[in-house]
Amino acid sequence: MARAMFEYTKTVLVKVSFNSELFCKELEKSLKRLLPYEVKELSIWLKEFTANKPELNYCMNLVT
């Protein structure tokens, strides 16, 4: 179940990445739902995903 939530979170974040406000809101919600080790994995994934999307970089402050 937990793994499914992690994959769902990544899917949602990809779909809302066109809007930085939505992206940050969804990221906040996901940080409340995920397990601590999944948050670490999400942080790694986010660094790669936002590498070429500078408009989303400020949302990374929520994870660290």
Side-chain angles (χ1 to χ4, degrees):
M1 174 67 177
R3 206 66 208 161
M5 185 56 72
F6 178 71
E7 294 301 323
Y8 174 74
T9 297
K10 290 192 316 186
T11 303
V12 169
L13 289 174
V14 169
K15 288 183 180 182
V16 299
S17 64
F18 67 93
N19 183 322
S20 58
E21 287 183 35
L22 270 177
F23 187 83
C24 286
K25 285 182 183 180
E26 289 298 329
L27 181 56
E28 284 179 21
K29 288 196 288 187
S30 68
L31 294 174
K32 293 176 186 174
R33 289 191 302 247
L34 295 176
L35 298 172
Y37 74 92
E38 291 175 322
V39 172
K40 290 179 185 176
E41 286 184 48
L42 185 65
S43 175
I44 294 167
W45 179 83
L46 281 170
K47 287 177 187 173
E48 293 176 17
F49 181 72
T50 61
N52 61 349
K53 297 174 178 61
E55 67 276 7
L56 300 177
N57 280 339
Y58 78 94
C59 296
M60 290 298 292
N61 294 334
L62 298 172
V63 178
T64 55

